[in-house]
Amino acid sequence: SDVCSSDLILHYPDDQLVDYPDFPTDFAKVAASAMQVGYQVVVLCVPGTLYQWGEIPDENGEVVDFVEKPFISKDSYTGICAVHESAFDLIKSLDSSQPVKLERTVFKELARSGQMFKVLVPAEYWIPVNDTPGLERFQQAVCCPASRPEVRP
């Protein structure tokens, strides 16, 4: 039987976009265009993010610096993606006795085969809500956007 018979947009609830009211329509259009030319998954990324922990550079174990929550300049997945129905063929072909990890299994295979496309949005639109500071930032963005401080990397 069919696992999925249509394309879908997956949006993890702990990853939120703010201050971009046209996002759903814009992302759906870009995803549809990418899928028309053969991509099976379109991931939404930001061009870097604040690392959640302190960075501890060292030389042979001796700490030479401490950087609290540095900005990491690597495109980072926001937990939002569009999945073409054909991607489910890969999922069905995997070992069903093992749990399927979307990012670790499916995305990795689709990326290796050139079937993923990345879309970037400015980092200030994305709020990962998986800790107290993220929740507070999200609440501030939703409840009081005019009084929110500017977010800078």
Side-chain angles (χ1 to χ4, degrees):
S1 81
D2 287 336
V3 174
C4 184
S5 60
S6 66
D7 305 337
L8 61 92
I9 292 180
L10 174 65
H11 184 160
Y12 292 116
D14 63 341
D15 291 295
Q16 296 297 314
L17 286 180
V18 296
D19 299 329
Y20 187 171
D22 294 330
F23 167 74
T25 304
D26 290 349
F27 185 66
K29 287 177 184 176
V30 170
S33 294
M35 290 175 183
Q36 283 180 338
V37 297
Y39 293 102
Q40 290 189 30
V41 171
V42 178
V43 292
L44 184 72
C45 296
V46 293
T49 187
L50 289 176
Y51 189 60
Q52 293 183 359
W53 302 278
E55 177 186 11
I56 313 293
D58 73 285
E59 292 176 9
N60 299 319
E62 181 180 321
V63 175
V64 296
D65 196 4
F66 182 90
V67 183
E68 178 62 12
K69 298 181 181 168
F71 186 79
I72 305 297
S73 296
K74 293 184 178 184
D75 293 349
S76 303
Y77 175 52
T78 64
I80 301 169
C81 65
V83 181
H84 189 273
E85 65 181 292
S86 62
F88 290 94
D89 292 337
L90 172 60
I91 294 170
K92 289 190 293 187
S93 73
L94 297 171
D95 179 3
S96 62
S97 67
Q98 298 295 318
V100 173
K101 302 286 187 180
L102 184 65
E103 289 89 351
R104 291 185 183 162
T105 308
V106 178
F107 283 9
K108 189 170 281 292
E109 180 60 33
L110 292 174
R112 285 183 184 142
S113 63
Q115 297 181 50
M116 286 184 71
F117 187 78
K118 171 176 68 178
V119 176
L120 288 171
V121 296
E124 58 267 17
Y125 289 144
W126 177 51
I127 301 177
V129 186
N130 44 20
D131 60 13
T132 301
L135 176 60
E136 290 169 351
R137 186 172 158 227
F138 178 67
Q139 289 173 327
Q140 182 71 23
V142 172
C143 298
C144 312
S147 64
R148 185 175 65 236
E150 183 179 346
V151 175
R152 292 187 173 183

